[in-house]
Amino acid sequence: MKLETHPDSTCPVQKSAKSGRVWEKNITDIIRSYGSYHKGFIDVGSYIGSHALPASEYYQTVYSFEAVPKSFELQSKSIKNNNIKNVKIFNNIVYDKSGLNIEIKSSQTGTGTSSICRQLKHYNTSYNVETIKIDDIEYDEFIGLIKIDVEGSEWGVLAGATELIKQDHPVIILETFKTIKNIEKLTRFAVDYKYKVDYLSADNYILIPEC
């Protein structure tokens, strides 16, 4: 499976795709291990599709959310070129309310990071993008897994997904920076929604339903 990339990008994710290597193999393996042709997979902050597109082989439907227009275009092209029929891609910011118009900052060449709440030196481009709430989407099947990688706005994503989480209790792969505040929020969320939390790597955690 070939992923489209920006020719000038020095981003490790895109460099990995150019060389044909698997990005974040440990996370890719987890996504595959929970896969089922009767389940759906939600990828929030899917970038160029490094996890979303391979997951199409293991899930009935992949719901892929990428807010940055250039990354959305690259992933859309990859979906078309690989003739993938079961990935539904959304050019939206996933948040706790739908229909808002929010500025997202990124780089011109696609560094792999973008944010609505952080300002870094290489964020030299901004876009106004409409928000969407996970709970406002109709899904064709039971959602078995959600991956969230959104550079600091993960708690807004989860706040807009509480009904789905209560209903389907999916496994959640979550990136959140290792601050005291975030760890407290993670612990509280796990208690409130009955999850066990395990550390994966870097800033990534896996939340597994207790029941």
Side-chain angles (χ1 to χ4, degrees):
M1 182 179 294
K2 184 178 184 301
L3 298 180
E4 295 296 321
T5 58
H6 192 290
D8 299 324
S9 177
T10 57
C11 163
V13 182
Q14 295 202 35
K15 288 172 70 175
S16 178
K18 288 175 184 177
S19 66
R21 290 183 287 111
V22 176
W23 176 252
E24 293 183 325
K25 187 177 182 301
N26 63 326
I27 291 178
T28 298
D29 288 345
I30 291 169
I31 293 169
R32 183 190 303 117
S33 70
Y34 284 100
S36 166
Y37 294 116
H38 303 291
K39 295 179 182 178
F41 167 52
I42 295 174
D43 191 352
V44 183
S46 55
Y47 192 34
I48 61 171
S50 301
H51 296 302
L53 271 60
S56 67
E57 298 180 6
Y58 307 105
Y59 291 82
Q60 180 176 322
T61 309
V62 174
Y63 301 87
S64 178
F65 297 86
E66 176 49 48
V68 177
K70 287 188 177 181
S71 302
F72 172 84
E73 290 169 8
L74 288 173
Q75 188 179 159
S76 297
K77 190 174 180 180
S78 295
I79 291 169
K80 181 179 179 180
N81 290 347
N82 287 285
N83 196 32
I84 298 172
K85 304 297 185 184
N86 62 331
V87 174
K88 296 183 178 182
I89 185 169
F90 300 79
N91 186 200
N92 295 96
I93 293 170
V94 180
Y95 210 51
D96 59 0
K97 291 182 181 178
S98 294
L100 303 178
N101 198 270
I102 293 181
E103 182 182 57
I104 185 168
K105 298 183 183 297
S106 182
S107 73
Q108 286 185 319
T109 58
T111 62
T113 62
S114 57
S115 182
I116 65 172
C117 56
R118 300 174 72 214
Q119 178 62 59
L120 299 180
K121 288 183 179 179
H122 61 266
Y123 287 175
N124 51 18
T125 305
S126 64
Y127 309 90
N128 287 317
V129 180
E130 187 173 337
T131 63
I132 196 167
K133 182 177 165 182
I134 284 179
D135 282 342
D136 286 344
I137 298 169
E138 291 187 10
Y139 301 97
D140 299 328
E141 63 286 292
F142 171 90
I143 299 300
L145 192 148
I146 302 174
K147 181 183 78 68
I148 303 171
D149 182 354
V150 288
E151 302 296 326
S153 57
E154 56 274 8
W155 304 111
V157 174
L158 287 169
T162 55
E163 294 305 313
L164 175 69
I165 289 168
K166 289 175 186 175
Q167 175 182 294
D168 291 354
H169 224 198
V171 173
I172 301 171
I173 297 173
L174 180 72
E175 182 192 67
T176 190
F177 301 123
K178 285 182 281 188
T179 65
I180 293 173
K181 186 176 181 180
N182 281 339
I183 299 305
E184 287 176 348
K185 286 183 177 181
L186 181 60
T187 302
R188 192 180 314 123
F189 178 89
V191 171
D192 289 346
Y193 292 93
K194 297 181 173 58
Y195 278 92
K196 175 189 175 186
V197 179
D198 285 329
Y199 174 71
L200 291 176
S201 58
D203 293 308
N204 297 308
Y205 299 82
I206 185 168
L207 286 74
I208 301 172
E210 291 184 338
C211 55

